[in-house]
Amino acid sequence: MQPATIELKDVTKIYRMGNIEVGALRDVSVSIEAVEMVAIIVASYSGKSTMMNILGCLDVPTSGEYLLEGENVGQLGDDRLAEIRNRKIGFVFQTYNLLPRLTALANVELPLLYGNGHNRRRRAMTALSRVGLADRVGHRPTELSGGQQQRVGIARALVKEPSIVLADEPTGNLDSQSTEEVMAILQDLNQREGLTVIIVTHEPDIAAATRRVITMLDGRVVDDRTVE
Amino acid sequence: MNPIVTFRISLASLGANKLRSGLTLLGIVIGVSAVISLMAIGQGVQQSITSRIESLGTNLLFVQPGESVQQGGLGGGAGSASTLTLEDAYALEDPVFAPAVKAVAPEIRANGQVTAGRNNTFAQVIGVTPEYTEVRNAPIEGGEFISQGHLNNYSQVAVLGSTIKETLFANRDPVGQPIRINGRQFEVIGTLESKGGGFFGSQDNQILVPITTAYYRVSSQRTTHGEVSVDSINVQMPDIGVMDEGMMQVATVLRLRHHITGEDDFIITNQQDTIETLQETTNTFVVFLGAIAGISLLVGGIGIMNIMLVSVTERTREIGIRKAMGAKRRDILVQFMSEATLLSLGGGAFGVLLGATIAQLLNGRPLLGNSPMETSFSWDIALLALGVSAAIGLFFGIYPAMRAASLHPIEALRYE
């Protein structure tokens, strides 16, 4: 048994909107092992992005503990969180979040600018080849199709060789063929390269591609099943 | 992030909005070039004033009448009788009491209407002795200078400054021609070399006549004792080293002659003091010019701040993405600071080039009056301007950069 990569213990996140307190997460306890591929299905929009922000170390829980590879990241400062995002987590966004001014290659190089960044060009090339876009390195995002843009996004998530790929609705803006391509790449990363892949989504269809499915409703975990 | 990468990212970001960056740059270019060219003009004016005064000779003392206590306590204003006399001037040549004095040139000044044929003009008529040409460094261009014989005979002869000569005689040779000064006929015996416009009225607009003639025929001021009074005495020393000594001797001689026990009734100024006073004045002028130009530099700086604030708002999402990818506060801060500094420093560099070019173009051109202006471009001003523009970039860049750095990654990512 490998150690848990991600362990949430009674995590609660409360937002204050004016005088009203909104509980986006309530006592969520989830444990995700290394080399798992997990879909977290969250019905509400706010719950989904909160789950994504907490898991991705973009935000810290109001109460409860978040252990990432054994390290409690719940109480860390902004700069330490930035370091952890840089080293351990690769983000894949629904809207790709590529910088429109930069070429595909420069976009993939972005995480290498921060922290340890030698051999940037070669490492970015390798990551782009990995998603099958070696011939598109000089193109800007506007010159690429949606599927190609998302593959650039995945290459950017991979370039730092993180242990976790965190995908937020990665196929939400894609047609069915591109969706298949993207999901195939994510499955491949999990099975062949041993990356922990977490997909946060509100579409149950996506869950078909993963072995484990966690379902959340109103900020609580209501179902957690693993298909054997 | 290493500095080269930061520099490349900043350059690319500025390049993405070429027109906007260019216009912002222009604000600094105008400010810096204004500072450089105005300072160059100011320094040039200062240098030409100093060198013009120095051309009169720095080894000169001027003795002028001061407050006249012998006249019932009334101040000796313009037109009142002077306390200095021709005899005082001759006494200063005494080798026993004033050994440091090399030569003495007393002056009587009056204004006169001067006519030659149909031309007439208004000029300063100065009564002088033969020593004047050497002491005041006023060389003869044509003809001859006033001699001791002219003084002894009260000769009605005149030496013309170059402006007077042109006004009255145009291109003709005036030597030997008759002119009238306040209705009296004089003969022109020589002309002076042009010295350019002086700071206290042009030396070229003067007519020199023998001092005795000036006294008896033009001016005729007397002291209360009936002696020939003079308006000032120029005292020349052999070199600058004996100035203080000479000043003491001159003062002693005059005090003895005037029986002074209390306050002096004359004022001795030396050329170096005059230069220093003037330099203080022109320094103020240069600083004033610089300050005006500095204001435009400040406006340029505010332009940078404005554009950087717009840029931070526009690029909120980019900042969010960079932060999600692991950029720390400092990384974002440094990036925006370097963009602002690049703008201001680039503007500074162009401004120095433009300012130096303007200074060079203005060099030797007549701007004020008819004397050519000398501009002087100096590297220390250029370096200072570059330093100031860099500082402006840092100062006006820090607030927008801090706003960018303090954006929360989640809100920045959500920003549309």
Side-chain angles (χ1 to χ4, degrees), chain B residues 105-396:
Chain B
E107 289 179 18
I108 293 177
R109 282 190 287 271
N111 291 315
Q113 184 76 24
V114 186
T115 55
R118 285 183 186 172
N119 300 324
N120 81 89
T121 183
F122 199 70
Q124 197 173 35
V125 182
I126 304 181
V128 298
T129 59
E131 289 81 12
Y132 183 90
T133 180
E134 188 213 327
V135 172
R136 289 301 297 266
N137 189 18
I140 282 287
E141 189 184 50
E144 54 170 351
F145 199 73
I146 292 155
S147 69
Q148 190 59 41
H150 292 133
L151 259 68
N152 294 343
N153 298 330
Y154 314 125
S155 304
Q156 302 202 17
V157 293
V159 174
L160 305 184
S162 60
T163 309
I164 299 278
K165 183 197 111 180
E166 261 169 50
T167 313
L168 297 180
F169 294 98
N171 298 325
R172 288 181 294 135
D173 180 13
V175 176
Q177 299 293 318
I179 59 169
R180 280 178 180 279
I181 301 173
N182 290 347
R184 288 179 184 276
Q185 184 160 325
F186 282 70
E187 185 197 343
V188 177
I189 55 168
T191 55
L192 294 177
E193 276 181 16
S194 172
K195 297 202 80 174
F199 201 62
F200 324 93
S202 174
Q203 269 192 303
D204 295 339
N205 200 32
Q206 290 174 344
I207 295 181
L208 306 181
V209 299
I211 195 164
T212 49
T213 316
Y215 179 71
Y216 289 109
R217 309 272 189 251
V218 184
S219 158
S220 88
Q221 294 173 355
R222 266 165 208 274
T223 65
T224 44
H225 303 291
E227 294 164 300
V228 176
S229 70
V230 296
D231 292 303
S232 68
I233 304 172
N234 305 299
V235 184
Q236 191 185 26
M237 304 293 163
D239 59 77
I240 292 182
V242 296
M243 291 302 278
D244 291 341
E245 199 184 330
M247 216 157 157
M248 288 300 298
Q249 291 168 3
V250 168
T252 309
V253 169
L254 291 176
R255 282 179 197 136
L256 285 172
R257 286 184 56 79
H258 293 188
H259 312 292
I260 288 168
T261 52
E263 210 171 319
D264 289 347
D265 62 352
F266 56 87
I267 299 164
I268 305 177
T269 48
N270 95 37
Q271 191 73 282
Q272 204 55 42
D273 293 344
T274 316
I275 289 175
E276 277 162 21
T277 312
L278 266 174
Q279 271 176 343
E280 273 172 33
T281 315
T282 48
N283 269 338
T284 314
F285 167 71
V286 171
V287 168
F288 181 66
L289 282 182
I292 290 175
I295 289 172
S296 65
L297 198 53
L298 194 71
V299 173
I302 293 170
I304 287 187
M305 185 159 169
N306 198 3
I307 280 308
M308 291 311 293
L309 283 173
V310 172
S311 176
V312 169
T313 309
E314 275 186 355
R315 285 154 65 192
T316 299
R317 204 178 169 85
E318 173 188 330
I319 294 163
I321 293 169
R322 287 181 186 276
K323 283 199 157 186
M325 299 298 133
K328 296 178 186 165
R329 283 175 70 95
R330 195 169 48 88
D331 295 323
I332 303 292
L333 189 78
V334 166
Q335 187 187 331
F336 278 87
M337 290 291 277
S338 86
E339 279 178 35
T341 312
L342 212 58
L343 273 179
S344 68
L345 212 53
F350 279 120
V352 166
L353 283 179
L354 185 63
T357 312
I358 291 172
Q360 201 57 48
L361 286 176
L362 287 176
N363 194 14
R365 262 167 224 276
L367 195 73
L368 309 158
N370 54 4
S371 59
M373 181 175 56
E374 284 172 38
T375 58
S376 75
F377 169 79
S378 57
W379 279 106
D380 48 337
I381 295 271
L383 284 175
L384 184 74
L386 269 183
V388 166
S389 52
I392 277 182
L394 290 174
F395 180 77
F396 286 103

Side-chain angles (χ1 to χ4, degrees), chain A residues 166-210:
Chain A
L166 188 58
D168 176 14
E169 205 81 76
T171 58
N173 285 11
L174 299 180
D175 59 34
S176 57
Q177 197 200 327
S178 300
T179 299
E180 270 174 41
E181 279 172 16
V182 165
M183 288 311 294
I185 291 172
L186 290 176
Q187 276 173 327
D188 203 41
L189 288 175
N190 174 244
Q191 282 159 19
R192 286 218 209 138
E193 297 183 23
L195 290 177
T196 308
V197 176
I198 301 170
I199 301 170
V200 184
T201 179
H202 51 238
E203 283 177 43
D205 297 359
I206 297 300
T210 63

Side-chain angles (χ1 to χ4, degrees), chain A residues 88-103:
Chain A
K88 296 189 176 172
I89 300 166
F91 285 95
V92 178
F93 300 95
Q94 177 175 4
T95 52
Y96 326 129
N97 275 339
L98 302 176
L99 294 185
R101 274 191 292 107
L102 304 183
T103 60

